[in-house]
Amino acid sequence: MSSVRLRPPAHRGELRDRHEDGHRLHHLLWRLGPGVRVCSSAVLGGGIGTRAWILNAQVAGGYPRLDPDRHLAEIAAAEGLTGPGAGLMTAADVAAYTTGQDGGVTATVTAGLGVRGWAAAPDTATRAAHRPGPAEAPERPHRPGPAEAPERSHLPGPAEGPVSPFRPGTVNIVVTLPVALSDAALVNAVATATEAKVQALLDAGLDCSGTPTDAVCVAAPEPGPDGGEPFAGPRSTWGARIARAVHTAVLAGARTAR
C-alpha cells in the first residue's frame, strides 16, 4: 500500500491517493490535532470521544473484506497516523467529494447512491441476499405504503438469506465546527445532519432517505468549564448552520451521483 499527497481541500482535510490490489483509490484525511471531540457512527472509532484524525476511505466495488475496521486502521498506519481516530468507508469516488460552508461550519460529503431506499422498509428488505450491481439502480426504489404490514413474520424462501454485515456505497458526511458542543448537542448535531441529508436527497429528486450504510462524523473542540453549546437542533444557531452546510454539500453530491 502506498500513499502520496494530491491536493488539500479547503476544509482542513487532505485528499490522498493510494494503490491497493491493482486499484487506484482515494481517501480524505482530517488531521484534527489535540483537543477535538468527534461524535460519529463510523465503523472505526465510532461513538463520542477525543479523536486525533478522521479518515474517509474509498474501496473498490464488490468489497470482499469482513474487517473494515482493521482495513481502515491499516490505511491510517500507512499515513503515519497515531492516537485514536475515526474511520469511514465508501465505494463512492472520494475524489468527487463536495462541500458546504455556513457560518464557520464545514460539511464534506462523498455520495454513493447506487443502492438506496427508505429507512423504514418491510422486514423482507433486510433479508434479501441479492446485492444489486451498478446497473441495478432504480430511479424510484420501493417505498412502503400504508397497506403493508412490516411487522408480520416472514419466512425467507430459498433465494433469501442474511444480508452481508458490510455493504460499501454510502453517503458519508463529515462536519467540522469551530465551537465546542455538549454531549447532547453532539448527538443532536448528528441527527440534524441526517435530517438535512434527507431534505437534500428529496430536493435532488431522489425517492429515498439514503443508503443502508450512510455514516456521519461531527468534530468540534472539547468543551471547557461552560460545557459547550447546549443545542444543535436545526433551529438553534449552530444546528441551523450545520443543516445548511450539509444540505448544500449533499445536494451537490446527489446531483452528481445520479
Side-chain angles (χ1 to χ4, degrees):
M1 184 187 302
S2 62
S3 180
V4 296
R5 182 171 180 173
L6 293 182
R7 61 183 177 84
H11 52 72
R12 295 178 57 198
E14 302 170 57
L15 180 64
R16 308 284 288 184
D17 174 85
R18 73 185 192 281
H19 297 270
E20 289 181 4
D21 301 324
H23 299 283
R24 186 187 182 203
L25 303 168
H26 299 92
H27 51 273
L28 281 167
L29 171 61
W30 289 257
R31 302 177 191 270
L32 301 176
V36 177
R37 290 203 308 167
V38 172
C39 178
S40 81
S41 58
V43 68
L44 173 67
I48 297 179
T50 303
R51 302 288 183 264
W53 47 269
I54 299 173
L55 180 68
N56 184 15
Q58 178 185 359
V59 296
Y63 186 70
R65 294 182 60 161
L66 297 178
D67 59 346
D69 52 343
R70 179 173 294 184
H71 188 184
L72 286 162
E74 292 168 358
I75 297 171
E79 286 285 4
L81 301 175
T82 58
L88 306 91
M89 191 170 277
T90 179
D93 181 5
V94 168
Y97 69 91
T98 55
T99 62
Q101 296 180 323
D102 192 287
V105 175
T106 299
T108 304
V109 169
T110 55
L113 291 161
V115 179
R116 59 181 185 264
W118 293 95
D123 186 49
T124 53
T126 66
R127 300 186 183 214
H130 173 65
R131 297 177 60 179
E136 300 180 71
E139 281 303 304
R140 297 184 63 85
H142 173 69
R143 183 178 185 179
E148 298 184 63
E151 70 276 7
R152 290 180 301 178
S153 61
H154 172 77
L155 298 176
E160 299 179 3
V163 71
S164 168
F166 179 74
R167 293 172 55 179
T170 311
V171 177
N172 280 343
I173 301 171
V174 175
V175 177
T176 58
L177 293 95
V179 298
L181 300 178
S182 68
D183 284 0
L186 273 173
V187 175
N188 207 173
V190 171
T192 295
T194 303
E195 287 188 56
K197 174 199 72 175
V198 176
Q199 181 182 346
L201 293 175
L202 295 177
D203 287 346
L206 298 174
D207 192 13
C208 66
S209 60
T211 85
T213 52
D214 290 356
V216 181
C217 278
V218 176
E222 290 184 320
D226 64 352
E229 294 288 329
F231 306 114
R235 291 300 171 263
S236 67
T237 298
W238 288 101
R241 293 171 181 176
I242 291 169
R244 289 190 292 264
V246 170
H247 182 271
T248 296
V250 174
L251 183 60
R255 286 173 171 166
T256 301
R258 287 195 62 170

